[in-house]
Amino acid sequence: MADRLSAQLGLSGKGAKQAGKIAGNLYSKAVVDSFEDGAAAVRAVMSSGLIPEKATTKTIESITTKVSDLATTFDQDLGGAANAATQLIRTGLAKDAPAALDLLTSGLQSSADKAGDFLDTINEYGTQFRKAGLDGATAIGLLN
């Protein structure tokens, strides 16, 4: 499975070892139910662009844990959650991954997800929120 994860992410050597270690840690810490679920979480988060360049293993694991917890808690697609967080950062609605994930959590806890399309709305309209001069909290407040 680690080889498959490496191939899916286009990693080799140190990067592949790091991704496999993170997937294993997520499983051993009961963040996910299996190594395969850990690998899927690492793949979703790393391929979304959510991980800052030169991030440490600890940072990658922390962000991946938060995305996995958010997706599990609110019964959301892991990749969709990672992509929505990335969109919040790219559009300037959030400064970093922890802030983006906090905004998503707030939105999912509120009526902003009443129609079940909150993450899709963030992905689709993030640029429009930015153009309107809104910050992330205000945009989610308006959706709420």
Side-chain angles (χ1 to χ4, degrees):
M1 185 68 194
D3 290 340
R4 182 177 179 199
L5 176 61
S6 299
Q8 289 171 334
L9 293 172
L11 300 173
S12 60
K14 186 178 178 183
K17 184 177 178 181
Q18 181 184 40
K21 179 180 178 182
I22 294 167
N25 286 348
L26 293 174
Y27 174 56
S28 70
K29 294 177 180 177
V31 173
V32 295
D33 294 331
S34 67
F35 178 83
E36 291 78 12
D37 290 346
V42 171
R43 183 176 61 252
V45 171
M46 291 183 82
S47 65
S48 73
L50 187 57
I51 302 298
E53 194 173 319
K54 299 180 182 179
T56 65
T57 300
K58 183 178 178 180
T59 299
I60 297 169
E61 186 175 330
S62 173
I63 292 170
T64 304
T65 297
K66 288 177 183 179
V67 171
S68 182
D69 287 347
L70 180 129
T72 300
T73 300
F74 296 103
D75 196 26
Q76 299 292 315
D77 174 69
L78 194 64
N83 290 336
T86 300
Q87 180 70 346
L88 287 170
I89 296 167
R90 283 185 184 144
T91 58
L93 298 175
K95 66 179 179 158
D96 57 21
L101 292 165
D102 286 347
L103 285 170
L104 294 177
T105 298
S106 175
L108 289 165
Q109 288 173 332
S110 71
S111 64
D113 193 42
K114 189 174 184 177
D117 62 352
F118 174 66
L119 297 181
D120 292 334
T121 300
I122 294 299
N123 279 316
E124 189 169 339
Y125 295 104
T127 300
Q128 303 309 319
F129 295 143
R130 180 194 65 214
K131 286 181 180 179
L134 302 176
D135 63 18
T138 303
I140 290 170
L142 288 172
L143 292 172
N144 190 20

